[in-house]
Amino acid sequence: MVSIEINSQTLTAHLSGDIDHHTAAAMRTEIDRAVKSAPIDKLILDFSNVSFMDSSGIGLVMGRYKLINELGGKLIVADPPAYIAKVMKLSGIGRLCEIINTVRR
Amino acid sequence: MNGCINEMKLSFIASSENEAFARAAASSFISLLDPLVSELAELKTAVSEAVTNCVVHAYRDMPGGIVYMQIKLFGDRRVYIKIRDKGCGIEDIGQAMQPLFTTAPEEERAGLGFAVMESFTDKLRVKSSPGNGTVLVMEKVLQERSPNECKANLSDKSGRKLRTCTPVR
């Protein structure tokens, strides 16, 4: 599931639940629709409430990087749980975007 | 006692909805060995990658294809997972296992399935040939759990809570 929050020129997509091949497609559509309809220069993907992610989530991040990059903006990945951070590290996705850890709510 | 102490077999249709079902079933069965939360998360991810490969690649042109999953638990805390399909098979296994290699970039497949399976298990074996399906075997030895661990080791290096003898939310 995705909930979208827009603050000034930053769009935050709060992702929750499982990210796998089955769920990633709907998440992708929802995020892209929001990104294309708002004048933003920063996209934050908030992973703090993601309960599971396999490499489909890496595809999701890579695809959103491509989109925001084409629009001249920046992508940030926020608060991936420890083992999801491990999948991200393995993929080398940190070279495309900043991975940050904010204070846990 | 290092022999097989428990075993399950499951077959299901290779649909994307069943990816979550497969990892939930695997997770539930492997939990009988009382793994760490991190070990269970890694094995769930490996199973998810293997089953997704069956859905996305093996049975791409064969709707209704069946995925066969077998899990064995051993006395030495070894988990054996076999995932088999009767789909199209892999022409070049070496190439398929290369990180970032994918035949489905337009679907945003990252080409990391085998890299994740390799990284999250101790052993990965793949047997396949075109037209004859694929057999994938993964093995992982879980950490020993001592009776003192419940009090002594409540969190892992990253600070996440581990499964203990008492229920964790």
Side-chain angles (χ1 to χ4, degrees):
Chain A
M1 213 181 85
V2 184
S3 78
I4 303 286
E5 183 188 334
I6 301 175
N7 192 346
S8 181
Q9 288 187 302
T10 300
L11 188 150
T12 306
H14 301 283
L15 312 175
S16 58
D18 289 7
I19 305 180
D20 62 9
H21 161 244
H22 182 67
T23 60
M27 289 183 170
R28 171 173 67 186
T29 308
E30 209 163 324
I31 298 168
D32 288 4
R33 191 188 303 134
V35 167
K36 287 174 185 164
S37 60
I40 57 150
D41 59 14
K42 197 193 282 179
L43 169 62
I44 301 175
L45 298 177
D46 170 16
F47 278 81
S48 60
N49 286 314
V50 174
S51 46
F52 171 85
M53 186 189 93
D54 62 18
S55 68
S56 307
I58 299 300
L60 182 77
V61 175
M62 283 162 79
R64 306 306 56 75
Y65 165 78
K66 208 173 149 200
L67 174 68
I68 196 76
N69 196 43
E70 279 166 7
L71 297 171
K74 190 180 163 188
L75 176 70
I76 292 173
V77 165
D79 298 324
Y83 103 90
I84 292 181
K86 198 173 165 187
V87 180
M88 288 181 176
K89 193 175 172 196
L90 183 78
S91 72
I93 216 158
R95 289 195 296 268
L96 303 180
C97 61
E98 198 181 343
I99 300 175
I100 60 166
N101 282 300
T102 62
V103 180
R104 295 270 169 177
R105 283 167 283 256
Chain B
M1 191 175 81
N2 292 335
C4 179
I5 53 173
N6 205 345
E7 179 177 355
M8 70 91 115
K9 283 181 181 173
L10 193 63
S11 57
F12 50 90
I13 288 178
S15 67
S16 64
E17 292 95 333
N18 282 342
E19 292 156 6
F21 164 71
R23 59 179 185 263
S27 166
S28 175
F29 189 68
I30 295 165
S31 289
L32 295 170
L33 278 184
D34 193 22
L36 301 176
V37 165
S38 55
E39 289 172 329
L40 194 58
E42 291 179 358
L43 287 171
K44 271 173 76 177
T45 311
V47 166
S48 196
E49 299 291 355
V51 173
T52 301
N53 275 350
C54 298
V55 177
V56 175
H57 301 293
Y59 291 124
R60 175 175 288 269
D61 301 316
M62 290 180 245
I66 303 291
V67 181
Y68 303 86
M69 178 162 79
Q70 177 187 22
I71 305 183
K72 292 184 196 176
L73 309 179
F74 290 83
D76 59 359
R77 299 186 59 72
R78 181 161 54 97
V79 179
Y80 169 102
I81 304 170
K82 179 156 95 175
I83 292 171
R84 185 167 63 89
D85 66 69
K86 294 180 179 174
C88 65
I90 305 170
E91 207 159 307
D92 185 339
I93 297 175
Q95 186 184 42
M97 291 180 83
Q98 284 292 318
L100 303 175
F101 174 81
T102 180
T103 52
E106 71 290 347
E107 293 166 35
E108 294 195 346
R109 304 304 312 155
L112 289 168
F114 280 118
V116 168
M117 287 184 253
E118 258 182 329
S119 164
F120 284 176
T121 59
D122 300 331
K123 264 189 207 167
L124 169 67
R125 291 194 301 272
V126 186
K127 204 174 145 192
S128 185
S129 62
N132 291 314
T134 300
V135 182
L136 193 146
V137 173
M138 299 182 279
E139 288 184 62
K140 187 178 178 80
V141 178
L142 305 178
Q143 279 183 37
E144 283 300 331
R145 308 298 301 272
S146 70
N148 297 332
E149 203 162 8
C150 306
K151 286 177 185 172
N153 208 357
L154 283 171
S155 59
D156 67 11
K157 285 178 204 155
S158 59
R160 298 197 89 199
K161 205 158 194 180
L162 303 176
R163 183 164 177 209
T164 65
C165 297
T166 49
V168 180
R169 71 176 167 84

